[in-house]
């Protein structure tokens, strides 16, 4: 069976699926029932062809559909005749499905007609391709002739340009010879200048040695004068030290004579009382106050020589992030000024200035030190430097919600507190 006839038979059988229930289909074809006609022909062609060959019931249903759609062709094939204008492929496919008497001869005749038509079509295609190739050859020949003419013109231009280049080369060679002569003259002059410079350098070296000798003499004289001055001062220092030793020995002799004990006791120590223990930031942290109680900050700032370091933008963006940066700074610094006046603690507020193009114009309030980090440095780094600059044992309180900053200053001996704690304390003020 020719391939075109086989494909047409499969298409006809695939179109029959639309009028059949899944139970009416042969079992091998049921998996293709929900496919589209195109996918059914593509993936189930072999199964459909096998079913048509082996399942007479399925082939009968396909034949019934064919008789309903093409009654004239079906009647003609049943009577053993072929319509003169019918497509050979269609006739062969219908004969295979209907299988009238002599259907094999009809398929063979239709197949031969199909092969003949395909051969004629292939011959026409070959003739058209040959004509196209001839036209392409003529076009290439014309293009080749044009290309040869253009190359000839380019060759003439290159020859003229080569002649011009040769002339320029000869002129350049003459210039090079003149330049070499000038270079030899300049080298001679350079050697003369070098000889003159060597003579001047020798004279300068001699003058430098003479000056160094004079400088050594001057340094020797200066050292002699200094030694004489030191000896004069040593005599006066010796007389003063002798007088001081005399007074000290007299005082010690009087102390031994009177048997005076060293003074190590004070009158206030005779009064019985309970002396308070000295508090540290760690002692205050161990009290029962909550980490968010503003009273904790008051107790920390009440320590002697307490220093409060504030991460400015960390606090303002926690408390009032919607305000502009300049308004945030002014509001925070106003609150810190009141806190400094109430607690007498040293207050330093640090802002991030790493991305500032110009310094911020700001008048710090009384009692508050305002610092901006340098370009390329963050406020966190500046805070850690401030903490490290303090002597061990001084109470330093750092306000920041940044966990990395809090851990770093805690290792350095400072007491970190949250930004919310400072905001609550300022709100209370």
């Amino acid at each position: 069976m020719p391939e075109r006839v086989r494909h047409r038979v499969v298409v006809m059988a695939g179109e029959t699926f639309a009028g059949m229930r899944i139970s009416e289909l042969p079992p091998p074809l049921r998996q293709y029932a929900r496919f589209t006609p195109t996918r059914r022909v593509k993936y189930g062609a072999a199964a459909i062809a096998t079913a048509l060959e082996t399942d007479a019931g399925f082939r009968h249903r396909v034949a019934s559909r064919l008789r309903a759609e093409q009654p004239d062709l079906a009647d003609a094939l049943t009577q053993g005749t072929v319509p003169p204008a019918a497509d050979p492929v269609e006739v062969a496919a219908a004969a295979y499905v209907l299988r009238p008497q002599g259907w094999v001869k009809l398929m063979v005749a239709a197949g031969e007609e199909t092969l003949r038509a395909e051969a004629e079509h292939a011959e026409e295609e070959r003739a058209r391709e040959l004509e196209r190739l001839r036209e392409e050859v003529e076009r290439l020949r014309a293009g080749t002739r044009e290309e040869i003419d253009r190359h000839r013109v380019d060759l003439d231009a290159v020859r003229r340009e080569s002649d011009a280049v040769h002339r320029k080369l000869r002129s350049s060679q003459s210039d090079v010879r003149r330049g070499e002569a000038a270079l030899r003259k300049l080298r001679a002059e350079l050697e003369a200048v070098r000889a003159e410079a060597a003579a001047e350098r020798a004279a300068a070296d001699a003058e430098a040695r003479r000056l160094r000798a004079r400088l050594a003499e001057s340094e020797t004289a200066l050292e002699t004068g200094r030694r004489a001055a030191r000896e004069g001062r040593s005599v006066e220092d010796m007389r003063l030290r002798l007088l001081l030793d005399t007074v000290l020995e007299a005082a010690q002799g009087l102390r031994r004579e009177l048997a005076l004990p060293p003074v190590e006791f004070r009158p206030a120590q005779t009064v019985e009382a309970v002396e308070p223990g000295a508090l540290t930031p760690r002692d205050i942290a161990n009290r029962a106050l909550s980490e968010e109680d503003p009273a904790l900050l008051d107790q920390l700032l009440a320590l002697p020589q307490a220093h409060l370091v504030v991460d400015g933008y960390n606090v303002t963006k926690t408390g009032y992030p919607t305000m502009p940066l300049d308004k945030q700074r002014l509001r925070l610094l106003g609150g810190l000024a009141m806190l400094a006046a109430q607690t007498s603690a040293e207050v330093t507020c640090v802002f991030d200035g790493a991305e500032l193009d110009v310094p911020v114009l700001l008048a710090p309030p009384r009692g508050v030190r305002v610092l901006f980090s340098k370009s390329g440095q963050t406020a966190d780094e500046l805070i850690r430097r401030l903490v490290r600059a303090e002597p061990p044992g001084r109470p330093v309180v750092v306000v920041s919600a940044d966990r990395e900053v809090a851990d770093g200053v805690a290792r350095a001996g400072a007491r970190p507190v949250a930004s919310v704690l400072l905001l609550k304390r300022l709100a209370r003020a």
Side-chain angles (χ1 to χ4, degrees), residues 136-149:
E136 183 70 19
V137 168
E138 290 297 329
R139 188 165 57 255
L140 291 175
R141 285 177 178 174
T144 302
R145 286 192 294 269
E146 293 177 359
E147 188 72 16
I148 290 173
D149 295 338

Side-chain angles (χ1 to χ4, degrees), residues 310-320 332 399-400 419 422-423:
V310 181
D311 189 349
Y313 287 140
N314 186 281
V315 175
T316 61
K317 292 180 180 179
T318 302
Y320 20 90
L332 175 61
V399 180
S400 177
S419 300
L422 176 62
L423 291 170

Side-chain angles (χ1 to χ4, degrees), residues 268-278:
Q269 295 176 338
T270 61
V271 179
E272 295 184 358
V274 178
E275 296 184 0

Side-chain angles (χ1 to χ4, degrees), residues 59 83-84 97 146 196 286 311 424:
R59 187 174 62 251
V97 173
E146 293 177 359
E196 183 178 355
N286 293 330
D311 189 349
K424 288 183 178 180

